[in-house]
Amino acid sequence: MKIVVDDLSSPEIARFLDEHVQQMRFITPLESKHALDLDGLREPGVTFWSVMDGDAVVGCGAIKRLDAGHAEVKSMRTSQARRQSGIASLLLDHIIAEARRMGFTRLSLETGSAEFFLPARRLYEKFGFAYCEPFADYKPDPHSAFMTRTL
């Protein structure tokens, strides 16, 4: 398995991310959906990684620069078939290390508050993220949980 910076040009990653967006639309009300689409992930200030197992995309994640010292974790996803296999931990550890290398001193994220997102919230807690108030352009939302950690 390897983690690579991805330019988001392959049809495989497009399908993988489309599944993510569709799943979020099914689970989360539209007004509370904050997943970035391909164009949003291609914006300047976003670094996107894919986790590859051979030619198969098995996970992905990104960070979006908010300011010189603060970035947001975006688009964390593991393929359904590979859940509970350590991919998310491997990727989040990589993202935290890369954020430090890039000079960020804080990472924040928004995830869902529903039961479906409990494994994600537990993962973030395990990596030192604590619950916080909305950050950047987010507003309070009963469907969202906001978390942050210093680096």
Side-chain angles (χ1 to χ4, degrees):
M1 229 174 344
K2 63 183 177 179
I3 300 173
V4 297
V5 173
D6 195 323
D7 67 3
L8 301 162
S9 63
S10 76
E12 292 80 19
I13 194 62
R15 276 192 300 277
F16 192 81
L17 287 167
D18 186 57
E19 288 172 14
H20 175 62
V21 170
Q22 295 305 320
Q23 186 177 40
M24 294 305 100
R25 285 186 180 153
F26 180 74
I27 295 166
T28 307
L30 190 56
E31 66 274 9
S32 297
K33 181 200 87 54
H34 303 290
L36 294 176
D37 61 13
L38 276 173
D39 289 336
L41 290 167
R42 288 181 179 130
E43 288 182 8
V46 175
T47 304
F48 184 91
W49 294 274
S50 289
V51 182
M52 306 298 296
D53 189 357
D55 291 334
V57 177
V58 295
C60 67
I63 55 174
K64 177 182 178 183
R65 181 185 188 278
L66 300 175
D67 63 39
H70 191 189
E72 179 181 4
V73 178
K74 299 294 290 183
S75 300
M76 283 282 296
R77 177 174 170 78
T78 301
S79 69
Q80 189 69 32
R82 299 295 292 273
R83 297 240 162 103
Q84 302 295 317
S85 66
I87 291 169
S89 291
L90 178 75
L91 180 59
L92 188 55
D93 190 52
H94 180 82
I95 287 172
I96 291 168
E98 286 297 297
R100 277 190 187 112
R101 188 187 63 73
M102 293 173 180
F104 293 113
T105 56
R106 174 165 299 283
L107 275 178
S108 299
L109 60 92
E110 179 276 337
T111 190
S113 61
E115 185 72 20
F116 174 86
F117 297 98
L118 183 58
R121 294 191 307 270
R122 285 188 176 145
L123 171 74
Y124 298 131
E125 289 169 357
K126 181 176 107 176
F127 276 83
F129 285 84
Y131 293 93
C132 65
E133 294 298 313
F135 59 92
D137 294 333
Y138 290 105
K139 306 285 185 248
D141 183 339
H143 300 284
S144 291
F146 303 96
M147 302 179 84
T148 194
R149 68 160 285 175
T150 56
L151 300 178

